[in-house]
Amino acid sequence: MKLLKEKHISFIKSLDKKHEDFEYWVTEHLRLNGIYWGLTALCCLGAKDAFDREDIIAFVKRCWDKRTGGFAAYEGHDAHLLTTLSGIQVLATYDALDTLTPQEVEQCVNFIEGNQMADGSFQGDRFGEVDTRFVYTALSSLSILGRLSAKVVDPAVEFIKRCYNFDGGFGLCPGAESHAAQAFTCIGALAIVGRLGDLSARQLEDIGWWLCERQVPEGGLNGRPSKLPDVCYSWWVLSTLAILGKADWIDHEKLGDFILASQDPKSGGISDRPENQVDVFHTLFGIAGLSLMKHDGLVPIDPIYCMPYDITEKFKKYPYET
């Protein structure tokens, strides 16, 4: 089965034209994330210009919350670290970070840093949910903005290290169950700040083994033992292995077949597994997984940032400047 590039491009382009659909309005809380997912998928497909650049930038700017300095999922919503990263990623993809004034950048940095807790973790917003996802989104955002600092990084790294489990996985907080998405957020965050060396060689080996054991007989990857495979883990698992230099520890051919079997051959898009309903989230992470496997001429994607290399090379700095 081949990758249905043109159908996927058409599917993504159609998503913002369904204003009469109930589903359009009940997913308002995911709108800015959805723009990032769609745009990044289009970049991987070599169709970055399929969206109207100026319209997207204007939408992102309307999602900026002047009260807090972060980005919200939609204008009028509360800012969150997850959507703040998406807003920054979209602007960076369009080389439009300079549309933020120095004062707005400072407010955004203050919003991100202000959500760091005393133990080095981050809450997503003022409501207090703590998760290693937010450590990743905070450090990734600050990295893209060129504002990483030791005062933020050092305690965040210590928190990540406390989330490592005996089985080789990472949890969303210390003592929580290992999960593949948390493995990505923890390893990705350490890679962003050049601190993978804080983990021992034995730990890195165990992490690799825990991740490669996520591949099931169908070829797909799951997030935890004894769970069904899901296309999104084609990213969470494979990107983490790629960061560790162990991407060949899983069967690429079988994983590629699983992703391609999850495509909608009529309307485009990719679902979580074959025969299910497609969505832009799984479309991105299926395409991103294929990109990591160098499939079918896709634009190469950076496993650390989930953005094409030609974009991340503009802001990546090792080591970060303090």
Side-chain angles (χ1 to χ4, degrees):
M1 184 178 295
K2 67 176 183 178
L3 179 64
L4 307 173
K5 288 186 178 181
E6 294 305 319
K7 288 188 178 294
H8 297 324
I9 292 169
S10 296
F11 166 72
I12 295 167
K13 287 174 62 178
S14 74
L15 292 175
D16 199 44
K17 298 177 181 178
K18 300 180 178 180
H19 295 194
E20 303 304 316
D21 291 0
F22 174 72
E23 290 83 0
Y24 181 87
W25 296 108
V26 297
T27 58
E28 197 175 80
H29 65 292
L30 294 172
R31 195 61 46 76
L32 185 52
N33 298 121
I35 293 291
Y36 158 71
W37 297 330
L39 176 60
T40 305
L42 290 173
C43 287
C44 289
L45 293 165
K48 179 178 176 180
D49 296 333
F51 280 168
D52 185 298
R53 178 182 184 274
E54 299 308 315
D55 284 351
I56 296 297
I57 292 172
F59 173 76
V60 172
K61 292 298 297 290
R62 291 197 301 273
C63 291
W64 187 70
D65 181 2
K66 66 179 67 175
R67 300 167 301 168
T68 63
F71 286 88
Y74 197 77
E75 44 192 313
H77 287 221
D78 290 329
H80 194 283
L81 286 183
L82 290 175
T83 43
T84 294
L85 175 58
S86 289
I88 291 170
Q89 287 173 313
V90 171
L91 293 179
T93 298
Y94 281 131
D95 198 20
L97 285 172
D98 60 358
T99 62
L100 296 173
T101 68
Q103 182 181 11
E104 288 172 338
V105 171
E106 200 63 35
Q107 284 182 269
C108 190
V109 171
N110 290 339
F111 170 74
I112 296 166
E113 293 183 348
N115 278 297
Q116 188 166 30
M117 313 300 284
D119 64 355
S121 66
F122 281 83
Q123 59 182 4
D125 56 20
R126 62 189 176 88
F127 296 105
E129 181 187 8
V130 169
D131 188 322
T132 50
R133 289 178 302 162
F134 310 146
V135 179
Y136 173 84
T137 51
L139 297 183
S140 185
S141 297
L142 292 172
S143 173
I144 296 170
L145 293 174
R147 296 297 297 271
L148 285 170
S149 62
K151 70 174 183 178
V152 170
V153 170
D154 290 344
V157 168
E158 293 305 311
F159 176 75
I160 289 171
K161 288 158 62 176
R162 292 195 297 274
C163 294
Y164 176 78
N165 289 327
F166 71 93
D167 58 5
F170 287 87
L172 60 85
C173 62
E177 179 185 10
S178 293
H179 193 286
Q182 265 60 49
F184 166 76
T185 58
C186 291
I187 294 298
L190 292 177
I192 285 170
V193 300
R195 296 285 292 274
L196 283 172
D198 279 43
L199 299 174
S200 69
R202 175 60 185 274
Q203 287 176 315
L204 294 173
E205 189 83 355
D206 288 347
I207 293 165
W209 279 114
W210 189 87
L211 288 167
C212 74
E213 289 172 352
R214 304 279 59 78
Q215 190 161 34
V216 301
E218 299 96 310
L221 305 169
N222 62 23
R224 293 173 289 164
S226 302
K227 296 295 183 178
L228 292 174
D230 186 317
V231 161
C232 72
Y233 294 110
S234 305
W235 173 259
W236 307 120
V237 173
L238 190 56
S239 63
T240 313
L241 287 169
I243 294 169
L244 298 176
K246 305 179 189 300
D248 59 348
W249 282 23
I250 64 166
D251 187 323
H252 286 196
E253 183 176 358
K254 291 184 69 175
L255 176 58
D257 288 344
F258 177 78
I259 297 171
L260 295 175
S262 301
Q263 299 178 109
D264 182 336
K266 293 183 179 179
S267 303
I270 300 175
S271 60
D272 58 348
R273 60 186 63 90
E275 306 301 327
N276 281 1
Q277 181 66 40
V278 302
D279 59 73
V280 68
F281 174 86
H282 289 92
T283 299
L284 165 60
F285 291 122
I287 291 170
L290 292 171
S291 175
L292 287 173
M293 294 185 284
K294 301 178 174 57
H295 181 89
D296 203 24
L298 291 171
V299 173
I301 195 165
D302 189 324
I304 298 173
Y305 288 94
C306 198
M307 300 168 71
Y309 275 111
D310 62 341
I311 297 166
T312 63
E313 67 181 7
K314 298 176 183 178
F315 57 76
K316 286 171 73 170
K317 295 179 181 178
Y318 298 104
Y320 63 89
E321 297 176 355
T322 59

